Amino acid sequence: MTEAGLFVQPGAVIPDSGKWGVGRLGRAVALAATLFLAACQTIVPRGPVEQPPARPEQTSPRPSTEVEPGLPRDTARHRIALLVPLSGSNAGVGQSIANATMMALLDAQADTIRITNYDTTPGAAAAAQKAIAEGAQLILGPLLSEDVRAVAPVARAAKVPVISFSNDAGVAGNGTYLMGYTPAQSIDRVVDYARGRGVTSFAGLVPNGLYGERASTAFLRAVEGAGGQVVSLQPYGRVAGGIAGAAQRLSAKAPYDAVLIADGGAAAAAAAPILKRGSGATTRLLGTELWNSESGIAARAPLNGAWFASVSNNLYRQYATKYRARFRAAPYRLSSLGYDAVLLTVRIARDWKVNAAFPEARLRAADGFSGIDGAFRFGRDGVAERALEVQEIRGGTAVTVSPAPTGFRD
């Protein structure tokens, strides 16, 4: 468990501002004070002296040595818990999110917010229980959907809202909000864009499992809503040769104008040549939000000309530069979720009284919020609706061909 915030605890080591590039936050200097006990001497006269009447002995009460368990109470700051994996296989992304939240606190100069980090790897429910016992009024995280399922009932019982970084819409609602990039929104956006460019017939490759199931449902609904037609939808297992076999089966269903590949860049690049041979070089490939999480997606030559929808990278590039300067490492793409969650909290905290319950209703503001990843707002289902852009992979770079809206119309 670690702390983040604009405060100094006894024994805390504050990084040098020049090394970390913290901006206005100067170097913290610890001041030590030494108490001196002066000895008192009684001068006794030589002659007989009448002794004063004896006074009843008074004893000073002993100072209490009882230590209050948990973290010290903070009456001037809002207590926020960050639940992310800080150990195990997902420690890298978890630490990157934790770094991002600290960076957001410093950038926003949010001196009324105190964030404590809790590791979810040993147990997400136990981490949530500890956070709430130590006074957390809002939980940011967890990252994994199974951890959200474990945390949600614990937080709900304590009436503490949860803002998760998962992309599984099935865990949202009833006090749990979802900031993760969901496949349904990116699929709907890229299908709508393709339909506007004359694409009428669609096909798809989707992996087995929950993500594939939700991508399939979103794809069918998006194409139907856009007035197009799905010619074929081929599932596959994420095993060696799985997507290649599905691509060959799909090629037998040609012709079609565009193919959605609901998987990462490596799988899409493996399927692309097979699809182009079977359906023609003019077939447009479509990707999902997964593509934006891969820094080298544009360098995959087989995907040249493909479209995919995602959050804008304009502000993220600036953020990534600052992150590298401060932490001497590149951030994980998902770390921007932590940064934006803090910006959201800072905005609400302007009118949030310290030690009062978090004003959950403000999370559902119709005008939404804005951050590194652009504009977003929470719907009735608790899922963040995002303003997405469409990018095209072109000559080794990703070019924005349809900018993201700056806000919401209704």
Side-chain angles (χ1 to χ4, degrees):
M1 181 182 69
T2 57
E3 293 285 340
L6 298 185
F7 63 97
V8 181
Q9 289 185 321
V13 178
I14 305 300
D16 183 280
S17 60
K19 176 181 178 182
W20 294 88
V22 174
R24 297 184 181 178
L25 186 64
R27 182 181 300 177
V29 180
L31 301 179
T34 306
L35 300 179
F36 295 93
L37 181 63
C40 298
Q41 293 182 340
T42 302
I43 300 177
V44 181
R46 294 181 180 178
V49 177
E50 182 179 358
Q51 298 294 326
R55 295 182 181 180
E57 183 178 357
Q58 296 181 352
T59 58
S60 300
R62 294 183 179 180
S64 174
T65 58
E66 181 180 356
V67 178
E68 185 176 356
L71 296 176
R73 293 183 180 180
D74 197 333
T75 59
R77 298 175 179 85
H78 300 294
R79 294 297 302 274
I80 312 296
L82 175 67
L83 272 61
V84 288
L86 296 174
S87 60
S89 59
N90 291 307
V93 64
Q95 186 59 57
S96 191
I97 292 174
N99 290 344
T101 60
M102 183 179 75
M103 184 170 159
L105 283 177
L106 298 175
D107 288 348
Q109 299 184 4
D111 56 357
T112 61
I113 293 176
R114 181 179 189 172
I115 296 181
T116 306
N117 301 337
Y118 298 84
D119 187 3
T120 56
T121 301
Q129 291 169 346
K130 185 174 183 180
I132 292 171
E134 293 180 343
Q137 301 152 303
L138 174 68
I139 291 177
L140 305 181
L143 174 64
L144 305 177
S145 59
E146 56 265 31
D147 288 344
V148 180
R149 290 188 178 91
V151 166
V154 176
R156 190 180 307 123
K159 298 182 179 179
V160 173
V162 174
I163 302 178
S164 166
F165 306 132
S166 170
N167 68 347
D168 183 356
V171 301
N174 201 9
T176 298
Y177 299 81
L178 206 75
M179 284 194 69
Y181 319 124
T182 60
Q185 292 183 37
S186 68
I187 291 172
D188 185 73
R189 177 76 164 95
V190 76
V191 165
D192 185 69
Y193 177 80
R195 186 70 185 88
R197 297 305 179 275
V199 175
T200 59
S201 58
F202 295 80
L205 295 175
V206 292
N208 294 330
L210 183 59
Y211 183 89
E213 291 174 6
R214 292 191 171 158
S216 299
T217 300
F219 183 51
L220 293 171
R221 289 177 177 174
V223 172
E224 181 182 3
Q229 178 186 10
V230 176
V231 174
S232 179
L233 198 59
Q234 294 293 329
Y236 61 90
R238 280 178 167 153
V239 296
I243 194 169
Q248 290 173 348
R249 295 193 300 273
L250 191 61
S251 294
K253 305 292 184 179
Y256 33 74
D257 301 326
V259 179
L260 174 76
I261 306 176
D263 210 329
I274 301 173
L275 296 172
K276 293 292 181 71
R277 286 197 300 268
S279 60
T282 59
T283 300
R284 186 73 65 168
L285 301 181
L286 309 178
T288 71
E289 84 294 341
L290 294 178
W291 291 18
N292 199 44
S293 298
E294 299 184 27
S295 58
I297 188 71
R300 298 184 182 277
L303 300 182
N304 192 56
W307 292 331
F308 66 98
S310 70
V311 295
S312 173
N313 282 326
N314 292 335
L315 292 177
Y316 178 80
R317 294 187 186 99
Q318 301 176 33
Y319 156 81
T321 299
K322 291 180 63 177
Y323 184 103
R324 290 188 189 95
R326 185 166 290 165
F327 300 108
R328 307 298 174 88
Y332 279 76
R333 184 60 183 84
L334 292 177
S335 67
S336 60
L337 296 176
Y339 192 100
D340 285 356
V342 172
L343 293 189
L344 175 159
T345 306
V346 169
R347 174 180 167 182
I348 292 178
R350 295 171 185 169
D351 302 316
W352 174 21
K353 293 183 179 180
V354 175
N355 293 323
F358 180 80
E360 182 181 345
R362 297 185 191 176
L363 289 175
R364 297 184 289 272
D367 57 343
F369 306 91
S370 184
I372 296 295
D373 290 331
F376 67 97
R377 65 180 177 182
F378 293 107
R380 293 182 179 179
D381 58 358
V383 177
E385 175 189 355
R386 293 188 172 277
L388 303 179
E389 69 178 17
V390 177
Q391 299 180 48
E392 178 180 327
I393 297 177
R394 186 186 300 168
T397 62
V399 180
T400 300
V401 292
S402 179
T406 57
F408 301 96
R409 296 178 182 177
D410 53 8

